Amino acid sequence: MSGAATTPALAIADAVRRRERRAVEVVEEHLAAIAEVDGGLGCFLEVTADQARRRAAEVDAAVDAGRDPGPLAGVPVAVKDNLCTQGVPTTCASRILQGWHPPYDATVVTRLAGAGAVVVGKTNLDEFAMGSSTESSAFGPTRNPHDPERVPGGSSGGSAAAVAAGLAPLALGSDTGGSIRQPAALCGVVGMKPTYGTVSRYGLVAFASSLDQVGPFARSVADAAALYDAIAGHDPCDSTSLHQVPPACGPAVGSGVGGLRVGLVTELTEAEGVQADVRRRVAEAAEALASAGATVDPVSIPELRVALPAYYLLAPAEASSNLARYDGVRYGLRVDGDDVADMNARTREAGFGAEVKRRILLGTYALSAGYYDAYYGQAQRVRTLIIQAFRRAYEDFDVLLSATTPSTAFRLGEKVDDPLAMYLSDVCTIPTNLAGHPAMSVPFGTDGAGLPVGVQVLAPALGEAVMVAAAAVLEQAAPPTSLPTVAAPTLTGAGTGRGAATGGAR
Amino acid sequence: MARLARIALTEDELDRYAPQLASVLEHAAQVAALDTAGAAPTAHPFPLRNVLRPDEPRPSLDPQVVLAEAPAAEEGRFRVPRILGEAP
Amino acid sequence: MSAPDGWEAVIGLEVHCELRTRTKLFCGCRNAFGSEPNTNVCPVCLGLPGSLPVLNEAAVELAMRIGAALHCEIRPSVFHRKNYFYPDMPKDYQVSQYDEPINVDGYLDLPDGSRVGIVRAHIEEDTGKTSHVGETGRIHGAGHALVDYNRAGVPLVEIVSAPDITTAAQARLYAAELRAILVASGASDGRMEEGSMRVDANVSVRRVGDVRLGTRCEVKNLNSLRSLARAVDHEIERQVGVIESGGVVEQQTRHWDEDQGCTVALRSKEEAFDYRYFPEPDLVPLDPDAAWIERVRASLGPMPADRRAAVTALLGGGEPSDARSDQVATVVELGLDHLVTAAASAGVDPALALARTANEAAAAAEAARSVDPAAYAALLQMEQRQELSATQAKAVLAELMAGGGDPAQIAGRMGFEALAADSLAEVVAAVVAEHPDEWERFCGGEAKLAGFFTGHVMRRTQGKANGKAVAAELARLRG
């Protein structure tokens, strides 16, 4: 366990700040791991090797000059390819944006730089973050490092798999209905969706604006907390950014759960389709919290049953409007036509994949005259009911516990032609998006087949600190998890990842 | 819907998406059937109000950077095929 | 012209005005007219992926000023997205206020005594500009189009009147008065020719006595008050013609063709758009508190109607002539009435003050607005005391508007040395003494000899004497 790929992000930063390690070496090791393994996994759409090397040299120079480059000094970070990076292609895994070079950085990318982190590349995702398997990427799927025949989850599958495989200690994703937590669970890493408004959305290519939130992936709760602390905070460029100082999560790691009231959410654990193995792990997690001093009681929140259908009206509706701008006029793909409307329609036909088209159609329908009240308007009311129901639950509990996903990683292609089955894999994660609350997934053992299981800790708005404290306790108590079969050599022991990687050629 | 969404779907796509969307909408019907009387619609999870910006100019982009991304440009402007009909 | 006998028109106007902010509605790009194409654009107003809008406080304040000036209720409001595809719209939706606009239920009193209701005055963003390139110019048959997004995201307020207007003349009066109010409130420069104020007219006709409304048509492309009046007149006549010849008016959007003098159908409402309005999730509700609203109302100066009344009152003597009324309207519309008031309160004849302001000052209104009212008053006093001739006074005014300063010093610098009344009397007395014969004949009734004496006085004073003052002095000596 000596390589960079197994070292926690905070340990890397610590070593770089003390001049015990050089950021350039750390980056080279990770670039080498990416070069060796990613051909088989498909985590990255773009590896920004030259910029990463330059940036790492700047970090080292700052240390040499006696300056502190920041809490993430020299830590490689993988960035989901729906976050804008100036001059670096940002595709959202869509043909319609292929070749687009944003003229600006997302606020979170600027904050990463401010914290001394080094962006090593842009990761694969379901096209425009619409999906739960990363299979709807126009540039091919990402494979699960634990089993390359299985999906990494989605939509932030590239980021989750990159962290799991040791290609970056940290990654950024975005979570609209579970797109951080679900792939974190399927890949056996920590993933956190922060309170809506604590992390800026400026520069995050919008899917569903009132639900989207950027958040961290890491291999430990402490690292995830550190990344959250680095990216959270008010941004005047985002009107929905909260003005409150976000809770500091780093210090909460290790503060324990003594006296904490934990509610085990029946609807998100006993729900139809939740795998027995997963259910068992959630029960064990509840016991672990109890033996660490928390009181755990079941809680029923029946309103959560309608969260999924409400989400599948709200998110596509907002998406249908957010994705109208891809019309072939100003940037990205254009397919010529007789007149401008014809050009628009041909461009969008050629540029969007099936899942994006389905959601645009669904959203257009939900907003159209005559259906607005029954669909979009009604879904917004359901949102109110869910917020109220959570509020009642949090009168009795400090945090809630549930499964992150109904099942462990499924096989590539298994749900591609059954949108509803795919949508159901977000059933446990969606309610918090509707409420705007934080939630995180922590690895907690495996299923019978050795695939990672994630448990989800939910907290009220701005409850990140207590959520992180509970997650850290679960992390300590978690049953051992098997190592990924495809991973950076230093993560699995020299070379063992190599053979498996060949199975994942795209 | 495809016309409103301005996507030139093929016949094959229309045949494929129609039943898929129907099944999702059937699921969504649960929502339509709920009694939500008394619940105001929520557009934002948090009740922020009056987020305003001072009226101070900030630098604009270099027009060359802007037009470099354009599929077609002419005379400093974005070029598009002929436009039939006026804006609504 | 009113509707043909037996018919009446029902007209409502929708006026879009660009707000006079420094920056756009949702980003820090300059709100400027006439820049090189695509130079005032950024990720936000270009609708680049990932960009987000942040509302300009000054735009909200100016919208509230408009609401206050139009006696509206200023209320909590919400932005919506109006979804439709058009290449001049970078996001393919327009951010606008829909069912919860900031200003509702106001009114506008017209100079003819009528009152037009204001349904709403809401905030929205402007679109970019397309220009059509190709064989026949306008739209049909054009080869291709070019788009400039400098105007995209410029703040607009759309002011929707109630259908209370019944004639083209009244429509014109409404638009003119509204423009004066927009300028007076500081919200807009009201320049129709630059497109900073744009008017659409909804016109329908019905037989007198009929309570049902006829089918309406919306007439667009009205670039001046004159086109507005002509287009409305034409549209009334066209609709009456259609019905009288047994046809049915179709609900349409029509385009005013200034050269042909007629309206042309653009689109019938069967192809109406489904805009799929929904609350803009990237913006939060706007809810100005009572103190802010009060501050806006209190800071609003007197409106054009009050200011016209104030100037008219200075003139005294009952109902002013049409010419005078026009002068009053001009100085108020151009924001120069304070000059008239300042001069009049310094003792200048209000008629003189009004004439100079409505003519010479109005000809260079922009410059005149920055003239120091005290200096302006001092100049007109000199003219009134006949220390300067009218021609000289106008020349000094031109200098004053160009560079400011003290009018007496300007007059001196220009060689218009003011001839004091007593020295003028001395010169006149001397000339009379040198020409006893002519003086005798003048006193005997040969009035034309006044010119003879004036000529001599002018020569001796190198033209500095005021003609009227010389005549007055001659009359005084003759007794």
Side-chain angles (χ1 to χ4, degrees):
Chain A
M1 297 288 280
S2 59
T6 56
T7 315
L10 285 171
I12 293 174
D14 196 43
V16 168
R17 288 162 104 180
R18 289 166 190 269
R19 222 167 167 277
E20 288 162 7
R21 294 210 62 194
R22 306 305 297 179
V24 287
E25 292 166 23
V26 175
V27 159
E28 286 307 335
E29 281 173 10
H30 284 89
L31 291 174
I34 293 169
E36 185 159 357
V37 171
D38 200 45
L41 285 178
C43 300
F44 287 89
L45 293 175
E46 181 89 21
V47 178
T48 52
D50 292 345
Q51 279 126 309
R53 290 184 177 112
R54 271 201 305 277
R55 178 73 196 121
E58 284 168 17
V59 169
D60 286 336
V63 173
D64 291 345
R67 295 195 304 271
D68 181 4
L72 299 179
V75 179
V77 182
V79 174
K80 189 178 183 180
D81 203 28
N82 62 351
L83 287 162
C84 289
T85 41
Q86 186 171 356
V88 175
T90 299
T91 64
C92 295
S94 180
R95 271 190 298 276
I96 212 155
L97 270 178
Q98 202 168 359
W100 179 57
H101 296 75
Y104 75 108
D105 275 330
T107 298
V108 287
V109 171
T110 307
R111 283 185 182 249
L112 280 184
V118 177
V119 173
V120 290
K122 306 295 293 289
T123 58
N124 200 13
L125 63 151
D126 281 297
E127 185 178 5
F128 282 103
M130 296 179 189
S132 310
S133 68
T134 315
E135 291 167 290
S136 76
S137 166
F139 309 121
T142 296
R143 289 163 185 274
N144 192 317
H146 290 271
D147 177 354
E149 293 311 309
R150 291 177 187 270
V151 302
S155 66
S156 313
S159 284
V163 170
L167 308 186
L170 297 176
L172 288 181
S174 65
D175 190 315
T176 306
S179 280
I180 290 174
R181 293 159 287 160
Q182 187 259 13
L186 268 48
C187 289
V189 298
V190 176
M192 172 175 165
K193 182 208 99 75
T195 302
Y196 185 84
T198 58
V199 180
S200 170
R201 291 188 296 117
Y202 191 76
L204 166 67
V205 179
F207 159 17
S209 315
S210 74
L211 303 164
D212 296 341
Q213 191 65 190
V214 178
F217 285 98
R219 286 194 297 273
S220 72
V221 172
D223 280 0
L227 180 50
Y228 171 77
D229 287 345
I231 59 172
H234 178 66
D235 178 10
C237 293
D238 176 355
S239 301
T240 61
S241 170
L242 296 180
H243 295 252
Q244 289 95 326
V245 177
C249 286
V253 178
S255 62
V257 292
L260 207 69
R261 300 167 302 165
V262 178
L264 185 57
V265 188
T266 319
E267 284 74 14
L268 304 185
T269 304
E270 310 284 307
E272 181 193 354
V274 177
Q275 222 173 283
D277 287 346
V278 172
R279 231 178 275 185
R280 194 161 51 243
R281 290 302 187 192
V282 176
E284 288 170 21
E287 284 164 26
L289 289 173
S291 51
T295 56
V296 184
D297 290 295
V299 56
S300 171
I301 312 176
E303 289 84 352
L304 302 189
R305 291 203 189 98
V306 286
L308 186 73
Y311 172 87
Y312 276 98
L313 294 172
L314 290 172
E318 292 183 16
S320 70
S321 173
N322 283 330
L323 272 64
R325 68 189 67 188
Y326 307 105
D327 59 5
V329 174
R330 290 158 299 276
Y331 44 80
L333 182 74
R334 171 183 295 186
V335 176
D336 265 315
D338 278 350
D339 61 76
V340 76
D342 187 39
M343 182 275 281
N344 295 154
R346 287 167 185 255
T347 298
R348 292 162 65 76
E349 163 62 14
F352 290 138
E355 183 59 24
V356 171
K357 287 177 189 165
R358 275 194 292 259
R359 297 213 197 182
I360 290 175
L361 293 172
L362 189 58
T364 303
Y365 183 79
L367 289 176
S368 60
Y371 299 102
Y372 181 91
D373 288 336
Y375 288 112
Y376 190 80
Q378 182 75 347
Q380 281 197 324
R381 290 190 158 83
V382 168
R383 200 170 175 179
T384 308
L385 296 180
I386 285 167
I387 290 170
Q388 290 167 348
F390 268 124
R391 190 176 301 143
R392 283 192 297 274
Y394 285 122
E395 284 168 10
D396 298 328
F397 299 101
D398 300 303
V399 296
L400 301 175
L401 184 70
S402 79
T404 306
T405 65
S407 73
T408 51
F410 44 91
R411 291 184 181 281
L412 284 159
E414 194 177 320
K415 299 183 180 178
V416 167
D417 289 319
D418 186 353
L420 191 55
M422 186 73 91
Y423 297 172
L424 284 168
S425 55
D426 294 334
V427 69
C428 303
T429 46
I430 276 171
T432 43
N433 294 89
L434 293 177
H437 293 168
M440 71 193 290
S441 181
V442 191
F444 203 85
T446 57
D447 67 1
L451 293 168
V453 171
V455 294
Q456 182 177 220
V457 183
L458 301 82
L462 299 172
E464 274 86 350
V466 66
M467 174 178 83
V468 162
V473 168
L474 290 172
E475 181 178 49
Q476 288 301 312
T481 308
S482 55
L483 288 169
T485 55
V486 187
T490 45
L491 191 67
T492 54
T496 52
R498 229 170 276 169
T502 54
R506 283 191 288 167
Chain B
M1 285 304 135
R3 193 183 53 78
L4 258 185
R6 200 159 283 185
I7 306 177
L9 292 179
T10 61
E11 286 300 319
D12 176 53
E13 282 178 303
L14 288 172
D15 290 346
R16 221 151 15 101
Y17 298 154
Q20 289 173 341
L21 293 179
S23 82
V24 176
L25 281 172
E26 197 182 322
H27 187 64
Q30 291 178 48
V31 167
L34 274 184
D35 178 13
T36 55
T42 294
H44 290 92
F46 302 111
L48 288 173
R49 291 269 183 285
N50 300 330
V51 175
L52 299 165
R53 165 183 73 77
D55 187 21
E56 283 159 16
R58 311 241 304 158
S60 293
L61 290 170
D62 177 346
Q64 280 174 337
V65 170
V66 168
L67 292 166
E69 297 293 330
E74 190 176 304
E75 296 168 7
R77 286 171 285 186
F78 293 84
R79 184 186 162 133
V80 295
R82 66 198 176 127
I83 303 171
L84 303 179
E86 294 237 353
Chain C
M1 190 165 75
S2 343
D5 269 356
W7 292 90
E8 67 179 3
V10 178
I11 302 161
L13 297 186
E14 290 173 12
V15 173
H16 286 85
C17 84
E18 290 182 351
L19 300 179
R20 274 181 53 182
T21 52
R22 297 173 69 201
T23 66
K24 293 187 180 182
L25 186 54
F26 298 124
C27 65
C29 287
R30 284 182 192 280
N31 171 9
F33 181 79
S35 305
E36 286 296 305
N38 294 306
T39 53
N40 299 328
V41 294
C42 74
V44 176
C45 59
L46 272 177
L48 295 189
S51 65
L52 295 171
V54 186
L55 186 58
N56 182 345
E57 181 169 20
V60 175
E61 172 118 5
L62 292 181
M64 287 164 67
R65 290 181 78 83
I66 292 174
L70 296 174
H71 314 281
C72 289
E73 182 196 341
I74 300 173
R75 0 169 336 133
S77 58
V78 172
F79 288 91
H80 274 64
R81 290 186 186 177
K82 179 181 184 182
N83 295 285
Y84 64 93
F85 285 87
Y86 206 75
D88 64 9
M89 213 164 43
K91 304 180 292 290
D92 288 297
Y93 58 78
Q94 181 191 31
V95 179
S96 177
Q97 297 187 319
Y98 176 52
D99 53 0
E100 296 176 68
I102 183 165
N103 302 306
V104 297
D105 285 339
Y107 61 87
L108 174 53
D109 285 331
L110 302 188
D112 68 359
S114 63
R115 172 170 287 189
V116 176
I118 302 293
V119 176
R120 56 189 284 152
H122 69 261
I123 306 171
E124 62 185 29
E125 58 178 337
D126 208 345
T127 61
K129 262 188 178 160
T130 48
S131 29
H132 302 270
V133 181
E135 316 94 72
T136 60
R138 271 218 76 79
I139 302 176
H140 293 284
H144 64 273
L146 299 176
V147 196
D148 167 17
Y149 293 104
N150 280 345
R151 200 181 66 181
V154 162
L156 294 176
V157 163
E158 179 178 350
I159 301 150
V160 181
S161 86
D164 295 344
I165 298 166
T166 54
T167 66
Q170 197 190 4
R172 181 183 181 144
L173 206 54
Y174 168 87
E177 187 65 5
L178 180 57
R179 182 173 67 181
I181 287 174
L182 293 174
V183 172
S185 64
S188 178
D189 61 21
R191 291 189 183 135
M192 288 185 81
E193 67 287 358
E194 285 181 6
S196 68
M197 176 170 149
R198 308 194 278 272
V199 184
D200 300 332
N202 282 301
V203 180
S204 69
V205 298
R206 62 183 170 191
R207 289 187 196 275
V208 172
D210 201 337
V211 290
R212 289 165 308 164
L213 288 171
T215 305
R216 71 192 164 91
C217 289
E218 184 177 14
V219 185
K220 289 182 175 276
N221 192 41
L222 308 172
N223 298 323
S224 66
L225 295 179
R226 185 169 169 271
S227 335
L228 166 65
R230 288 182 70 202
V232 167
D233 256 338
H234 170 273
E235 185 59 19
I236 294 171
E237 233 176 284
R238 186 191 70 85
Q239 291 186 14
V240 169
V242 166
I243 300 171
E244 283 189 334
S245 60
V248 176
V249 174
E250 260 188 85
Q251 190 172 343
Q252 282 173 332
T253 300
R254 300 180 69 86
H255 184 92
W256 170 247
D257 186 325
E258 183 71 39
D259 298 332
Q260 303 296 315
C262 65
T263 64
V264 187
L266 278 181
R267 169 178 77 232
S268 64
K269 284 284 170 181
E270 279 124 67
E271 316 157 38
F273 286 77
D274 181 348
Y275 293 123
R276 289 159 286 135
Y277 281 101
F278 74 103
E280 161 61 295
D282 290 331
L283 291 169
V284 302
L286 188 57
D287 188 2
D289 62 21
W292 190 10
I293 295 173
E294 198 34 57
R295 215 159 52 236
V296 167
R297 288 196 195 277
S299 68
L300 212 58
M303 285 296 110
D306 304 324
R307 286 161 51 185
R308 284 193 302 267
V311 175
T312 307
L314 289 176
L315 297 169
E319 199 67 15
S321 65
D322 281 357
R324 277 278 165 79
S325 293
D326 286 351
Q327 287 185 330
V328 171
T330 301
V331 299
V332 169
E333 187 178 337
L334 295 174
L336 299 174
D337 45 325
H338 65 289
L339 294 179
V340 181
T341 317
S345 57
V348 175
D349 173 14
L352 171 64
L354 179 61
R356 280 288 165 273
T357 314
N359 296 314
E360 285 72 29
E366 189 93 6
R369 273 194 287 273
S370 54
V371 164
D372 172 21
Y376 187 74
L379 170 63
L380 295 193
Q381 279 175 310
M382 288 168 71
E383 183 182 353
Q384 182 159 294
R385 286 199 303 264
Q386 303 184 341
E387 294 163 20
L388 291 175
S389 67
T391 315
Q392 290 169 335
K394 289 173 191 173
V396 173
L397 177 56
E399 282 300 300
L400 192 61
M401 291 194 292
D406 172 47
Q409 283 177 6
I410 295 170
R413 203 162 58 234
M414 296 179 83
F416 302 154
E417 206 172 296
L419 206 58
D422 47 350
S423 67
L424 177 70
E426 271 173 41
V427 175
V428 174
V431 171
V432 167
E434 285 162 24
H435 302 89
D437 294 351
E438 286 82 358
W439 178 247
E440 194 131 330
R441 282 157 57 199
F442 177 67
C443 291
E446 256 187 79
K448 65 175 189 217
L449 279 169
F452 167 84
F453 288 107
T454 306
H456 276 277
V457 172
M458 285 297 177
R459 267 195 296 282
R460 192 159 300 184
T461 61
Q462 289 154 336
K464 285 173 201 160
N466 182 313
K468 279 187 200 160
V470 175
E473 182 61 16
L474 289 171
R476 193 185 65 81
L477 287 178
R478 192 176 54 185

